[in-house]
Amino acid sequence: MKIQLTPADALIIADVQLDFLPGGALGIANGEKVIPPVNAYIRRFAEAGNPVFLTRDWHPGNHLSFRGHGGVWPPHCVVDSPGAAFSPDLVIPGDNKYIISKGTSREFDAYSGFQGTHLLQLLQERGIRRVMVGGLATDYCVKNTVLGALNLGFTTFVLQDACLGVELTPGDCDRAWSAMQAAGAIVVTMADIV
Ligand code: VGL
Ligand code: ZN
């Protein structure tokens, strides 16, 4: 496939935060391996003048997704905590980039970057019609952001070489890839972007 970037394209990178990387509260095995490809996509979009959206999980300390507060996860990505920070290896563009915080109120969780955020409005204001999505985790934030984008009418590409998942249950990532494709997402790699 050959994809020529146009001004209607945006990059969405999910949750490249220390708590989702090895050593973090919810560390994804080999999670650090997504950082070089993610950086390559960021550079590609930034050089073309396309906007880059970086989501982050940004929870209060008593968030409902945490064990002891009704949820299944260890506490992670607590507002302003070290684990909530983006990886220092992530190269964030100086401009034309937007940080999207999600899961910010105790009573709601958000695996999709669109849930409870201004992401849709920001994309619409910039005339974006196609989104390319990568980051962490394939089976949570990436999947739900992709399904959300498709639902909202965006042509949606998933970056196969720039995603990794939690795999809480074996097969979760395979099922996530199938669900995204069944919903209409197009799986691509860097080689497809000309
Ligand atoms: C996520 C697990 C817990 C995600 C958020 O956004 O991928 N995963 N909280
Ligand atoms: Zn979370």
Side-chain angles (χ1 to χ4, degrees), residues 83-105:
F86 287 118
S87 165
D89 298 324
L90 184 68
V91 181
I92 300 175
D95 57 11
N96 209 8
K97 57 98 181 13
Y98 304 86
I99 311 280
I100 307 292
S101 301
K102 62 186 177 65
T104 57
S105 49

Side-chain angles (χ1 to χ4, degrees), residues 16-176:
V16 183
Q17 294 168 273
L18 289 176
D19 271 343
F20 291 124
L21 293 166
L26 229 167
I28 291 168
N30 302 311
E32 77 284 357
K33 296 219 163 72
V34 298
I35 298 176
V38 160
N39 283 338
Y41 281 106
I42 290 175
R43 198 176 323 114
R44 183 76 188 76
F45 277 68
E47 281 172 6
N50 289 78
V52 174
F53 295 82
L54 302 156
T55 72
R56 65 180 180 186
D57 224 19
W58 201 244
H59 297 316
N62 58 355
H63 191 247
L64 88 171
S65 78
F66 295 173
R67 288 180 197 143
H69 298 275
V72 297
W73 302 118
H76 61 277
C77 300
V78 171
V79 172
D80 287 329
S81 66
F86 287 118
S87 165
D89 298 324
L90 184 68
V91 181
I92 300 175
D95 57 11
N96 209 8
K97 57 98 181 13
Y98 304 86
I99 311 280
I100 307 292
S101 301
K102 62 186 177 65
T104 57
S105 49
R106 196 198 70 76
E107 310 79 8
F108 297 103
D109 203 5
Y111 291 135
S112 162
F114 291 99
Q115 267 177 293
T117 72
H118 294 115
L119 179 57
L120 174 61
Q121 185 191 334
L122 290 166
L123 293 170
Q124 286 175 335
E125 283 169 0
R126 282 155 191 79
I128 300 301
R129 306 288 311 278
R130 299 198 301 185
V131 294
M132 282 80 169
V133 185
L136 303 171
T138 311
D139 38 357
Y140 291 93
C141 189
V142 171
K143 179 181 88 172
N144 286 281
T145 300
V146 163
L147 297 179
L150 288 164
N151 228 290
L152 292 163
F154 292 94
T155 299
T156 306
F157 300 92
V158 201
L159 309 174
Q160 183 165 46
D161 47 352
C163 294
L164 275 173
V166 178
E167 197 85 351
L168 202 58
T169 303
D172 279 355
C173 287
D174 283 348
R175 282 186 286 275

